[in-house]
């Protein structure tokens, strides 16, 4: 088992290394659209992996990841706004802010099981949005905040910088997922997800277990929100906390394969470009596709694409 | 506004909230399925009322009953999707599947009707009536009254008819109901149909008093959850009570809190009840099978 | 020496007393059988001892300390381990992985696997190691429930109807396993409906009725009491 963990790690680093060279081969200024799509794919991998840690490995289905993403986004927007920090340097605080929120969320929502947990996360994300909307003196309310796109030291804030940052953030998310997937805690998370009562009867600290999945999950979701905000350059509560940011990671993970490290990657790599294509032809058509896929996969292909591939091989 | 008129307003709105929630409650009670697409079915009810009003001039208060069979069919169809899922996985799977259905319905409405806000303006829309010093629009009054009547009728249906009793028996204990000769699958399907019809009817009474747009359902679903949680029971009475509490709380909150904070009340109520009765969301029989 | 002493414990569910001023004690290395009609408070007794329900009043002494404030997983780590009436396997994990869960809390993965394997062999699950747990038949699930609890290194094991719903020939191996565990020095509280099994296994028998202790003593003595026969045995044994 040790050996396979090293192998996965080397493969991951190799992939990241090769993919990092892309801007050197293809000029980002000549193909900005391509890099926009790649950026979207990376962020989708990041957000879906974050969801997968909590929803797939720990069995706690969250309907509120938009909340963490939104809080992360506002951290990136407000630190430069109030304290004149560089937007890029505030990026890590997106994750930290979301993690602090997660402590609160865990305190409330982890008292609930299954569907009740899911509903409470949905409500908590909405509460976060309403607080941001209402606290006008601090957040500018519905007016929104503009984020100056400043360069990061010598690097210009262009497609290449966004692409590489998002790529490595997605890499960090995958690293977290692989680490969890190969640690002992994977078993505890699974057990708690299946039956909290049975797990604690055996001595597993269910609350700590769930928290240990929620914190990294929230951190990564916050980072996703943060980098998205930087990329867009503008932020308002409506877009930052948009419900689709809660639903999209669920769809990508379910379609790719829930509870597997590669599931969200497969889902994002296939669906995000497909949706970009659809979006350019029929606006909102991509959302319809999302809905249909979610129903079809949950109902008929529970293991997702990876599950199908695996079954074929056996 | 006077306190009394706030309360009266809240009570009338609360009746409509109750009607929105009743369908959700009965589906949950019988199948332990939380139907995330409930709000979008309300949206469909609103659009069908709007179309029939625009094209044929039929009042929503009439057309809602004409379209009811279609909603029953829709409900039975959704049930067909959910039914084959193994029971153990059903609770979570159906939650996510109905979330997908919610997306499908809302985005389809968006593609068909565009994002424009529509309104149904009845001939008497501007007329108001004075109740204990509170001015209330005619449509609001009619909608609330119809909601109350529908909920009472549904309650009678559950307690007095054969099917209604079978539904209640299934809600209390599936296994025993099956042993007593209830066709649990047919009853579940009928219940789902009925729940969806109630959502459609709620759309009908909402059409004259609310804007119609594709994503309007997301406003209602959260309120419906709050009502069900507040009602604390899998019963029609609970939904009425929950609706009234929410309606009044919102009306009072709207008057005393800053505008943007008004909506928080729904969530605070929702989370508050969840928090203090962690297993008791819909009545606390979660552990019983 | 008593390993567990339940002192004057009461527990109410909305006005209805599930346990009323209950006193019970279990000696180290013995099996305490608990019987009683449905709703007598047997499962509630297990729930309060293991921390799934808080007591309204009274003390639960374990090894000389009051544990009634500790959460379930801490009690489990102190060696108070329960099973559930309806087996709750961890679906999606294999039988072996199910049994490994409690062992992994203390040992490395390799060691946990080795120990879990030997426990599985002993618990007659040796042929099912790599099956998905949820595919086991009821008898298998009951064994798994027992095996998993045993793997958590209990000092006192609380079994909630380990034989409920099993046919006669499926019960035999479970009775034998419980007896073996006792011979290993384990203390056991056995809540069971199947009379013959309890009488065969228990050193001391307690009869609960409406949350109160109706009788307590050696099984053969308790069975003779008229009150017991009326309250409980009347139905099936008349």
């Amino acid at each position: 088992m040790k050996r396979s963990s090293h192998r996965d790690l080397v493969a991951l680093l190799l992939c990241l290394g090769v993919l990092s060279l892309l801007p050197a081969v293809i000029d980002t200024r000549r193909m900005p659209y391509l890099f926009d799509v790649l950026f979207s794919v990376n962020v989708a991998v990041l957000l879906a992996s974050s969801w997968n840690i909590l929803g797939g490995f720990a069995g706690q289905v969250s309907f509120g990841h938009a909340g963490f993403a939104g809080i992360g986004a506002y951290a990136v927007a407000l630190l430069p706004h109030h304290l004149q920090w560089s937007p890029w340097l505030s990026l890590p605080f997106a994750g930290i802010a979301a993690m602090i929120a997660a402590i609160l969320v865990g305190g409330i929502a982890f008292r609930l099981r299954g569907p009740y947990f899911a509903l409470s996360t949905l409500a908590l994300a909405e509460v976060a949005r309403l607080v941001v909307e209402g606290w006008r003196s601090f957040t500018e309310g519905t007016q929104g905040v503009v984020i100056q796109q400043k360069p990061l030291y010598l690097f210009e804030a262009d497609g290449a910088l966004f692409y590489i940052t998002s790529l490595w953030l997605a890499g960090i998310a995958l690293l977290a997922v692989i680490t969890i997937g190969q640690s002992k805690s994977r078993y505890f998370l699974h057990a708690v997800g299946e039956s909290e009562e049975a797990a604690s009867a055996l001595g597993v600290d269910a609350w700590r277990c769930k928290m240990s999945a929620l914190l990294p999950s929230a951190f990564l979701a916050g980072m996703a929100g943060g980098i998205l905000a930087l990329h867009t350059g503008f932020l308002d509560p409506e877009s930052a906390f948009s419900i689709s940011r809660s639903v999209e990671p669920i769809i990508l993970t379910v379609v790719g394969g829930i509870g597997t490290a590669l599931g969200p990657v497969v889902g994002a790599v296939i669906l995000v470009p497909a949706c970009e294509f659809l979006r350019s032809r029929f606006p909102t058509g991509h959302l319809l596709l999302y809905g249909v896929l979610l129903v079809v996969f949950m109902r008929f292909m529970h293991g997702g694409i990876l599950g199908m591939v695996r079954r074929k091989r056996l | 506004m006077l306190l009394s008129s706030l309360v009266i307003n809240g009570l009338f709105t609360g009746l409509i909230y109750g009607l929105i929630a009743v369908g959700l409650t009965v589906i949950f009670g019988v199948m332990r399925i939380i139907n995330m697409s409930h709000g979008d079915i309300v949206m469909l009810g609103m659009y069908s009322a709007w179309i029939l009003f625009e094209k044929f001039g039929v009042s929503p208060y009439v057309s809602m009953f004409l379209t009811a069979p279609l909603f029953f069919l829709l409900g039975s169809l959704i049930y067909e999707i959910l039914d084959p899922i193994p029971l153990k996985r059903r609770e979570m799977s159906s939650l996510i599947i109905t979330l997908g259905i919610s997306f499908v319905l809302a985005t389809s409405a968006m593609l068909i009707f565009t994002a424009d806000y529509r309104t149904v303006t009845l001939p008497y829309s501007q007329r108001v009536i004075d109740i204990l010093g509170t001015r209330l629009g005619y449509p609001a009054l009619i909608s609330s009254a119809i909601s109350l009547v529908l909920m009472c009728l549904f309650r009678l249906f559950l307690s007095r008819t054969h099917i209604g009793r079978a539904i209640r028996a299934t809600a209390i204990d599936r296994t025993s109901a099956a042993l007593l000769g209830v066709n649990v699958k047919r009853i579940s399907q009928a219940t789902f149909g009925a729940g969806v019809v109630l959502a459609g009817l709620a759309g009908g009474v909402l059409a004259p008093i609310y804007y119609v747009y594709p994503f309007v359902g997301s406003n209602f679903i959260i309120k419906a959850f709050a009502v069900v949680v507040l009602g604390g029971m899998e019963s029609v009475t609970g939904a009425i009570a929950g609706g009234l509490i929410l309606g009044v709380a919102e009306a009072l909150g709207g008057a005393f809190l800053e505008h943007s904070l008004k909506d928080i009340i729904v969530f605070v109520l929702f989370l508050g009840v969840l928090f203090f009765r962690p297993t008791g969301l819909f009545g606390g029989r979660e552990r019983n099978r | 020496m008593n390993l567990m002493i339940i002192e004057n414990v009461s527990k109410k569910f909305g006005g209805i007393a599930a346990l009323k001023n209950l006193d019970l004690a279990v000696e180290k290395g013995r099996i305490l059988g608990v019987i009683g009609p449905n709703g007598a408070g047997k499962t509630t007794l297990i729930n309060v001892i293991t921390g799934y329900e808080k007591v309204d009043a009274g003390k639960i002494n374990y090894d000389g300390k009051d544990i009634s404030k500790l959460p379930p997983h801490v009690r489990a780590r102190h060696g108070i381990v329960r099973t559930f009436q309806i087996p709750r396997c961890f679906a999606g994990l294999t039988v072996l992985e199910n049994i490994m869960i409690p062992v992994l809390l203390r040992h490395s993965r390799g060691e946990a696997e080795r120990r879990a394997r030997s426990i599985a062999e002993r618990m007659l699950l040796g042929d099912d190691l790599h099956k998905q747990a949820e595919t086991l038949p009821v008898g298998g699930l009951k064994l798994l429930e027992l095996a998993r609890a045993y793997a958590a290194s209990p000092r006192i094991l609380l079994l909630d109807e380990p034989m409920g719903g099993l046919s006669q020939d499926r019960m035999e191996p479970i009775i034998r396993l419980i007896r073996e565990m006792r011979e290993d020095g384990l203390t056991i509280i056995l809540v069971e409906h199947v009379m013959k099994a309890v009488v065969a296994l228990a050193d001391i028998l307690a009869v609960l009725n409406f949350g109160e202790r109706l009788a307590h003593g050696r099984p053969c003595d308790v069975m003779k009491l008229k009150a017991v026969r009326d309250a409980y045995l009347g139905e099936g044994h008349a």
Side-chain angles (χ1 to χ4, degrees), chain A residues 39 43 69-70 72-77 91 145-149 162 222-236 240 245:
Chain A
F39 171 78
V43 175
Y74 266 91
V76 164
L91 191 54
V145 197
V146 175
I147 306 164
Q148 301 293 335
Q149 294 205 342
F162 278 109
M223 295 301 276
I227 185 109
L228 273 168
L230 265 181
H231 188 249
T232 322
F234 173 76
L235 197 61
D236 66 352
R245 289 216 183 131

Side-chain angles (χ1 to χ4, degrees), chain A residues 182 184 190 197 201 203-205, chain C residues 52 77 88 91 104 107 109:
Chain A
Q182 297 190 334
K184 283 206 274 188
H190 189 106
E197 278 152 353
V204 178
D205 185 344
Chain C
Y52 285 79
R77 286 178 191 186
R88 302 187 184 191
L104 279 168
H107 300 282
R109 202 184 316 213

Side-chain angles (χ1 to χ4, degrees), chain A residues 61 63 107-108 111-116 118-120 122-124 126-127 130-131 134 136 194 197 247 250 283-284 287-288 291-292 294-295 298-299 302, chain B residues 28 34 36 81 84 88-89 91-93 95-97 100-101 103-104 107-108 110-111 222 225 258 260 263-264 267 270-271 274-275 278 281-282 286-287:
Chain A
V61 169
F63 281 178
I108 297 171
R111 297 174 55 137
L112 306 163
R113 311 273 161 85
Y116 314 102
L119 289 183
S120 70
L122 178 72
L124 284 165
E126 284 292 293
V127 169
L130 289 168
V131 168
R136 249 164 280 153
E194 281 297 325
E197 278 152 353
V247 181
I250 304 179
T284 72
L287 293 176
L288 184 61
V292 171
L294 189 56
V295 174
M298 264 326 269
R299 170 66 190 77
H302 195 246
Chain B
F28 181 82
I34 295 177
M36 293 295 294
I81 299 178
K88 189 172 173 3
R89 247 183 36 214
E91 210 176 30
M92 283 320 291
S93 294
L95 190 73
I96 297 179
I97 289 176
I101 293 173
F103 246 61
V104 171
T107 46
S108 305
M110 183 92 170
L111 288 171
I222 292 286
F225 285 142
E258 208 190 322
S260 53
D263 292 329
I264 286 191
F267 299 101
F270 177 71
L271 290 167
L274 277 184
F275 190 74
L281 172 55
F282 292 78
E286 189 190 358
R287 274 190 220 159

Side-chain angles (χ1 to χ4, degrees), chain A residues 137-148:
Chain A
S137 58
F138 184 58
T139 62
E140 306 292 327
T142 44
Q143 236 187 310
V145 197
V146 175
I147 306 164
Q148 301 293 335

Side-chain angles (χ1 to χ4, degrees), chain A residues 147-163:
Chain A
I147 306 164
Q148 301 293 335
Q149 294 205 342
K150 288 187 184 140
L152 173 62
Y153 300 111
L154 299 175
F155 303 103
E156 240 182 290
D158 63 358
L161 182 58
F162 278 109
Y163 167 74

